[in-house]
Amino acid sequence: MRTIQTALPPGSTVGILGGGQLARMLTLAAAPLGIKCHIFAPEADSPAFQVSAAHTLAAYSDTEALAAFAAAVDVVTYEFENVPAATAAFLATRVPVAPGVFALETAQDRVTEKTFIASLGVPVAPFAAVDDIESLETALGTIGRPSILKTRRFGYDGKGQTRIDSDTSAAAAFAEIGQSPAILEGFVRFDKEVSVIAARSWDGSIAVFDVPENHHEHHILKTSTVPADICPSVAEEARTIGGRIIAALGYVGVIGIEMFVSGEQLTVNEIAPRVHNSGHWTMDACCVSQFEQHIRAICRWPLGSAERHCDVVMTNLLGDDAGRWQALAAEPDVRIHLYGKSEARRGRKMGHFNRLTPRQA
Ligand code: AMP
């Protein structure tokens, strides 16, 4: 595996797989450091193309385009976890890739992911691999109901999962997720959902942001509030767990780790090997945002301070919500971020805003 031994100087180029809003915000955060970004994405209307120094419009399987991309950049990163493993492996033989292929593969499969987290002694929901109706029946026998059946791979924003209650038939649940290889998870009765946004550099140094409390609507993140309304010792424990996971993965870059809080108990739900929607508040409430922190980490710059200087509520602008831009722009304590997407489909992430208030504690 190729690594970076000394800091990439200003003028260097970061290659980013994926051209959505996360790549766009990474590119914007790289600019003040004098770092250019080259986006590789298959969609012609990728929001990151609008702000990047260069882009390649090609399929992730196009090895000729990937080889040219690898030759044009100093390090490769990605903005989504479903990068085909073969694409990451192909690039990794030519150029440093961060986060590395191990972290990507771990996060791409929910069974591998939960097995890895549990092996660190970090609590996860009881789980079992499911390949067919028989193994689902067996798993239901041990894990019980209610429980949640999720596809092992390619699930996001609540897609590819279904709840199994006392009256749900195993066959119907398995059909609901398309009879794909799956994981059955015990249902966690949580009070709150929080996340940890952490960064680790090539030299092993780690910085962890404060813990946001996350609210979802129709399985899509709606708000992240910082600080979370949880006991400070639980928040500290969440940050410690985040640090342990990122170190154990040998990870380079920013990671998002979603957790449930039940009383004083934390349960890790999943990890996202990339900058995370629940970290968008850092853009305006911290000295260094998650996006700049990611660029610093993968380019082997010193990590910045993750300190928070404001209290903040981040709200996603989904679909037509983005029509509020003018009123939001007029509010003095609001910072608005729009992603340059032309079509406001229902539930589509069009932008977000951060409402800042003086830090209380
Ligand atoms: P995920 O795709 O794993 O992020 O799950 C989407 C949402 O489903 C989470 O944010 C939770 O609200 C809910 N959820 C997922 N897994 C569980 C679980 N094991 N117990 C209870 N709720 C869950």
Side-chain angles (χ1 to χ4, degrees):
M1 193 189 78
R2 288 166 185 263
T3 60
I4 289 179
Q5 296 298 334
T6 52
L8 294 179
S12 301
T13 302
V14 168
I16 305 178
L17 296 173
Q21 65 267 17
L22 300 180
R24 177 182 170 103
M25 290 185 277
L26 283 167
T27 303
L28 292 170
L33 308 180
I35 304 278
K36 292 176 278 189
C37 291
H38 181 147
I39 312 295
F40 189 110
E43 299 89 7
D45 60 349
S46 294
F49 288 176
Q50 297 167 15
V51 300
S52 56
H55 71 257
T56 301
L57 178 65
Y60 294 120
S61 55
D62 182 339
T63 47
E64 210 174 304
L66 286 172
F69 172 68
V73 304
D74 299 293
V75 61
V76 166
T77 190
Y78 40 88
E79 61 139 26
F80 68 116
E81 57 270 47
N82 291 327
V83 173
T87 303
F90 179 87
L91 290 168
T93 60
R94 291 168 158 76
V95 65
V97 174
V101 176
F102 175 67
L104 188 62
E105 285 175 349
T106 305
Q108 280 182 343
D109 182 315
R110 291 186 191 271
V111 173
T112 313
E113 176 184 65
K114 287 225 157 50
T115 306
F116 175 78
I117 296 166
S119 76
L120 305 177
V122 171
V124 293
F127 67 96
V130 167
D131 296 311
D132 47 32
I133 305 253
E134 260 168 39
S135 52
L136 176 55
E137 298 277 14
T138 311
L140 282 167
T142 47
I143 289 169
R145 299 159 185 253
S147 45
I148 304 212
L149 185 66
K150 303 178 181 176
T151 54
R152 279 177 76 146
R153 304 172 71 88
F154 305 124
Y156 70 99
D157 286 346
K159 293 190 175 64
Q161 62 175 271
T162 187
R163 181 175 157 143
I164 302 188
D165 286 302
S166 54
D167 55 352
T168 313
S169 90
F174 198 46
E176 175 81 25
I177 62 152
Q179 303 191 323
S180 308
I183 183 171
L184 184 72
E185 293 181 15
F187 188 83
V188 179
R189 288 186 171 75
F190 58 82
D191 305 316
K192 291 177 187 293
E193 293 189 77
V194 300
S195 53
V196 171
I197 309 297
R200 182 174 176 275
S201 184
W202 291 100
D203 64 9
S205 53
I206 291 176
V208 187
F209 289 100
D210 277 350
V211 175
E213 176 176 335
N214 304 320
H215 286 274
H216 299 85
E217 277 177 18
H218 310 295
H219 288 291
I220 298 174
L221 184 69
K222 185 64 189 169
T223 63
S224 292
T225 302
V226 199
D229 182 19
I230 57 174
C231 178
S233 63
V234 175
E236 207 40 52
E237 173 68 7
R239 296 173 78 241
T240 303
I241 288 173
R244 279 173 59 200
I245 291 175
I246 200 171
L249 282 170
Y251 193 93
V252 176
V254 165
I255 196 170
I257 306 173
E258 297 177 13
M259 305 182 190
F260 302 130
V261 183
S262 318
E264 308 242 310
Q265 170 74 37
L266 285 162
T267 308
V268 171
N269 178 32
E270 67 173 356
I271 59 184
R274 53 172 169 78
V275 285
H276 197 255
N277 194 168
S278 71
H280 288 4
W281 58 273
T282 60
M283 294 172 87
D284 301 306
C286 293
C287 303
V288 168
S289 73
Q290 65 163 346
F291 300 100
E292 180 175 332
Q293 198 74 295
H294 185 76
I295 298 292
R296 283 173 174 251
I298 64 173
C299 293
R300 205 172 175 142
W301 282 40
L303 292 182
S305 164
E307 202 173 325
R308 175 173 58 83
H309 51 70
C310 287
D311 288 354
V312 56
V313 180
M314 186 287 304
T315 304
N316 269 340
L317 293 167
L318 304 172
D320 290 340
D321 292 350
R324 294 170 62 194
W325 62 270
Q326 213 164 352
L328 289 167
E331 286 192 50
D333 300 326
V334 164
R335 295 271 294 122
I336 185 164
H337 302 269
L338 298 172
Y339 305 153
K341 297 182 184 177
S342 46
E343 203 192 330
R345 286 194 299 273
R346 199 163 154 260
R348 190 175 195 206
K349 291 176 180 167
M350 302 298 291
H352 70 270
F353 65 92
N354 288 325
R355 181 167 276 122
L356 306 170
T357 48
R359 186 172 168 146
Q360 297 297 313

